[in-house]
Amino acid sequence: MAISLVTHSVGAGTGGNGTPATTGPVDTTGASIVIVATQMYNGSGATGIGVTDNKGNTYTALPSFSSGSGAETEILWVCTNPVVGAGHTVTATGIVGPPYCSCAMQAFGGTSISSVADIATSYIGSGATNPVQPSSGTAYPTYANEVIVTGVAGAGTGTLSIDQGFTITDQQPAGSVYHEIGMAYLIQTAAAGVNPTWTESVSYVVNPSASIASFRQAGGAVSTQGLLAIC
């Protein structure tokens, strides 16, 4: 079964410290995986984030890092073999500090439910870096026909674009009480390396960050390379 996008959505906090961000309701029927991109600004002591949904699913955070205060943190979260259905919403919660919270989600069918991720890595820019890439090197999926997902976070107020054949499903520019989030994907028909470039039409004012992960097709061989394969 080939991997295909089932649905996607985006949401932002509405203001006030700790205000959660919730995506709009969508029908995830047929999805074998739900992937969520969250954005948090590490301003005046901002820390901590978690993901829940209204179907009772559990989400696992993939590897990420932050350069500390004054930097964006963009994290990908994954739930395999989820409970799905109509009216599905995802919420980013647990924000402490400035109310700059956004999140986006993608749901795919046809992915393996026996492994979390083939590759997963994050990268953070320095200062007003624009453009920004999700890896410090080229990320190589182990198998053909994997879905590769990337997210980006920053304080941009313009329009996002991305190269290397990725399709942006959702983007939300920064507002007065939330920062920018973007999410894109690519069905990679060959096990070829990628490291897409996110570009914001208005320069970032704080350190942006991006992450990337790939997920293999159902019925594919079991990966022996672990989570990360970059060079």
Side-chain angles (χ1 to χ4, degrees):
M1 178 181 179
I3 297 175
S4 61
L5 180 69
V6 173
T7 190
H8 58 91
S9 189
V10 68
T14 56
N17 287 354
T19 301
T22 299
T23 61
V26 291
D27 190 349
T28 52
T29 300
S32 54
I33 193 170
V34 176
I35 307 164
V36 180
T38 58
Q39 168 274 326
M40 182 182 71
Y41 175 60
N42 292 343
S44 304
T47 183
I49 194 167
V51 171
T52 59
D53 69 15
N54 63 346
K55 301 294 185 181
N57 292 305
T58 299
Y59 291 82
T60 300
L62 297 182
S64 65
F65 62 89
S66 168
S67 65
S69 181
E72 299 287 344
T73 299
E74 193 283 308
I75 304 174
L76 290 177
W77 303 72
V78 180
C79 176
T80 59
N81 198 23
V83 177
V84 296
H88 198 158
T89 62
V90 175
T91 300
T93 59
I95 309 302
V96 178
Y100 303 132
C101 179
S102 299
C103 65
M105 65 85 78
Q106 296 172 345
F108 294 91
T111 59
S112 170
I113 61 174
S114 61
S115 62
V116 174
D118 182 19
I119 59 170
T121 186
S122 298
Y123 183 75
I124 194 162
S126 176
T129 302
N130 185 34
V132 64
Q133 293 180 292
S135 176
S136 58
T138 301
Y140 288 89
T142 307
Y143 306 107
N145 301 312
E146 294 192 15
V147 59
I148 304 175
V149 174
T150 178
V152 67
T157 57
T159 301
L160 289 167
S161 60
I162 192 171
D163 61 4
Q164 296 194 4
F166 280 75
T167 297
I168 297 176
T169 53
D170 292 287
Q171 58 177 300
Q172 183 166 259
S176 60
V177 293
Y178 52 84
H179 277 183
E180 183 174 56
I181 191 77
M183 201 171 185
Y185 79 98
L186 170 70
I187 307 296
Q188 184 73 317
T189 57
V194 294
N195 190 15
T197 298
W198 284 99
T199 302
E200 162 63 61
S201 63
V202 177
S203 293
Y204 290 115
V205 295
V206 294
N207 305 343
S209 69
S211 59
I212 191 169
S214 74
F215 305 90
R216 62 186 180 87
Q217 186 178 13
V222 177
S223 171
T224 59
Q225 293 193 12
L227 285 177
L228 182 62
I230 63 174
C231 66

